[in-house]
């Protein structure tokens, strides 16, 4: 139909921008089918047309204002074509109704496109890039802009994502400078961290781990042991504070039950307990409601070591929740600070020799590289946090994971890889 429209348009006006009009109509018809459930080309009701141009398009389409101004006239010509070729479907608005509606929509569509509340986060961000002259179809140019956007302070990023505007950025967008900075950062991310030994290679592909070793690796994981104890104490319910932690008496009982030193005024004062508590909340094994906290089933029911299969499933889900929670949070909210170096460090920690941080003199920092020590400190923060919560152990400067942690880590790497592939066009 669009091919026929292009030919029809050139017959009526040989200088018409038929190709651009066909692209515009292809976008409108696709959105009409996918977002409004109306795949029939010739069906155009007044309500559907208004919703498409004033709600769906602003929320999903990023384009210059001049193209937005052309959208309604192009749709008007499509309707003329549909009527002339007998494609105007029953149930559409009356022929006399269409011109008046489209006249009203010329202004309404532009007004909607200028209203940040009708746009999504992504269309505001990309629309701002477009206003800076970024070619959104150029992958390199888009990557440069997004690198700059993510380097802005929180308040400025929120302004762009909420309004699509930023009058006076703290760092103006400079495409050439941003490309250089982005490539430097990407090169650093590709480099194996200087403070880590080479990853052990036993000839076995990553992810094809040995057959499960039973409950042993999970009994060796402090996080799993502590989680079972926490759920036993909380049981059917305990009082919870406004911060989502148990009261002082329950905190003392938990510390005693887990064999940890007492004396904490709050659960949040004890990282080895707070990390377990947060993981159980993240994973749905604890539920907060009406000032109470109680144990819940979660994605995998908690089980004692005597139930070997159930204990292994629970342990795997728990370690995965601990890693995933920190991967998805921002650094200011307790998330990882040193990614992707942290993933490399965890792979080393799960090897036979474990991970020594800081490293010995055999791994000196690179010269003339001011960010080298910062990279190591970020990873030390991350692995230290994982040791506090019990995912890793830490003795005499060596962090250790084990096969249970490795299995959860590989699962996350596979998940991220599959997500990356699914996002590609």
């Amino acid at each position: 139909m669009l091919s026929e429209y292009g030919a029809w348009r050139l017959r009526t006006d040989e200088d018409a921008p038929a190709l651009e009009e066909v692209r515009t109509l292809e976008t409108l018809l696709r959105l009409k089918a996918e977002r409004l459930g109306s795949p029939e080309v010739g069906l155009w009701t007044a309500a559907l047309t208004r919703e498409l141009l004033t709600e769906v398009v602003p929320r999903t389409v990023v384009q210059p204002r001049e193209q937005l101004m052309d959208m309604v006239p192009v749709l008007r010509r499509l309707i003329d074509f549909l009527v002339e070729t007998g494609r105007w479907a029953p149930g559409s608005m009356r022929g006399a109704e269409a011109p008046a509606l489209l006249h009203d929509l010329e202004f309404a569509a532009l007004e909607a496109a200028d209203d940040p509340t009708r746009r999504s986060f992504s269309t505001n961000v990309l629309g701002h890039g477009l206003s800076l002259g970024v070619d959104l179809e150029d992958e390199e140019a888009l990557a440069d802009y997004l690198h700059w956007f993510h380097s802005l302070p929180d308040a400025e990023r929120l302004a762009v994502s909420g309004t699509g505007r930023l009058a006076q950025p703290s760092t103006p967008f400079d495409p050439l400078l941003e490309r250089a900075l982005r490539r430097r950062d990407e090169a650093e991310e590709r480099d194996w961290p200087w403070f880590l030994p080479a990853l052990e290679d036993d000839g076995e592909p990553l992810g094809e781990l040995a057959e499960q070793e039973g409950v042993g690796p999970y009994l060796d994981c402090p996080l799993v042991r502590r989680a079972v104890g926490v759920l036993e104490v909380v049981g059917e319910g305990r009082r919870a504070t406004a911060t989502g932690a148990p009261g002082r008496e329950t905190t003392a009982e938990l510390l005693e039950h887990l064999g940890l030193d007492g004396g904490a005024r709050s659960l949040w004062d004890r990282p080895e307990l707070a990390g377990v508590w947060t993981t159980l909340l993240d994973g749905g094994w604890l539920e907060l409601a009406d000032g109470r906290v109680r144990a819940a089933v979660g994605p995998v029911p908690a089980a004692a070591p005597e139930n070997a299969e159930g204990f292994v499933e629970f342990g795997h889900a728990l370690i995965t929740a601990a890693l995933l929670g920190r991967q998805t949070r921002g650094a200011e909210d307790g998330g990882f600070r040193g990614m992707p170096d942290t993933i490399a460090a965890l792979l080393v920690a799960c090897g036979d020799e474990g991970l020594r941080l800081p490293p010995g003199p055999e791994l000196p920092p690179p010269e003339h590289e001011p960010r080298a020590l910062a990279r190591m400190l970020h990873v030390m923060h991350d692995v230290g946090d994982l040791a506090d919560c019990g995912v890793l152990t830490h003795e005499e400067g060596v962090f250790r994971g084990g096969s249970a942690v490795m299995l959860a880590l590989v699962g996350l790497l596979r998940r991220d890889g599959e997500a990356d592939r699914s996002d590609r066009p």
Side-chain angles (χ1 to χ4, degrees), residues 99-366:
L101 173 70
L102 292 174
H103 180 269
D104 291 341
L105 286 178
E106 285 200 58
F107 175 75
L110 286 174
E111 185 179 47
D114 288 336
D115 182 354
T117 65
R118 302 201 198 187
R119 300 193 295 260
S120 67
F121 168 97
S122 60
T123 52
N124 274 328
V125 172
L126 295 177
H128 179 255
L130 194 66
S131 71
L132 295 176
V134 177
D135 181 356
L136 301 182
E137 295 185 2
D138 183 330
E139 292 185 4
E140 284 276 294
L142 179 57
D144 297 338
Y145 166 71
L146 292 177
H147 184 272
W148 171 81
F149 169 76
H150 287 298
S151 71
L152 293 173
D154 289 346
E156 295 185 15
R157 291 201 309 273
L158 287 173
V160 174
S161 63
T163 68
R165 299 181 176 87
L166 185 60
Q168 295 182 320
S170 55
T171 304
F173 177 61
D174 181 335
L176 294 178
L177 173 62
E178 211 57 44
R179 180 158 301 186
L181 293 174
R182 177 173 64 85
R183 288 179 173 173
R184 181 203 66 186
D185 291 347
E186 289 175 349
E188 288 183 355
E189 290 178 358
R190 287 193 298 269
D191 292 341
W192 185 254
W194 65 270
F195 49 86
L196 299 181
L199 192 62
E200 297 172 9
D201 183 4
D202 57 6
E204 190 172 16
L206 185 62
E208 294 183 11
L209 301 181
E211 188 175 344
Q212 271 296 335
E213 303 170 41
V215 301
Y218 296 94
L219 282 173
D220 291 339
C221 181
L223 173 74
V224 180
R225 297 197 308 270
R226 293 172 190 167
V228 172
V230 168
L231 295 175
E232 288 173 349
V233 171
V234 171
E236 294 299 317
R238 297 295 183 100
R239 183 180 67 84
T241 67
T243 63
R248 189 169 181 176
E249 291 183 2
T250 303
T251 297
E253 185 179 347
L254 284 170
L255 291 170
E256 182 179 0
H257 187 73
L258 298 178
L260 300 172
D261 294 337
R265 298 182 58 188
S266 165
L267 172 141
W268 305 120
D269 296 336
R270 299 297 296 272
E272 66 270 44
L273 185 53
V276 179
W277 189 266
T278 300
T279 299
L280 290 171
L281 285 172
D282 285 347
W285 289 284
L286 288 177
E287 290 182 349
L288 291 168
D290 302 322
R292 303 277 294 175
V293 59
R294 69 177 185 88
V297 175
V300 175
E306 292 75 20
N307 175 4
E309 183 177 353
F311 184 71
V312 168
E313 289 183 0
F314 170 64
H316 177 70
L318 188 75
I319 297 170
T320 300
L323 295 174
L324 184 59
R326 287 161 177 76
Q327 183 185 23
T328 54
R329 282 190 177 91
E332 65 279 4
D333 295 323
F336 288 138
R337 297 184 180 186
M339 296 290 279
D341 292 348
T342 296
I343 292 294
L346 288 174
L347 292 172
V348 174
C350 290
D352 293 338
E353 301 300 320
L355 168 65
R356 179 173 292 279
L357 274 183
E362 72 279 2
L363 292 173

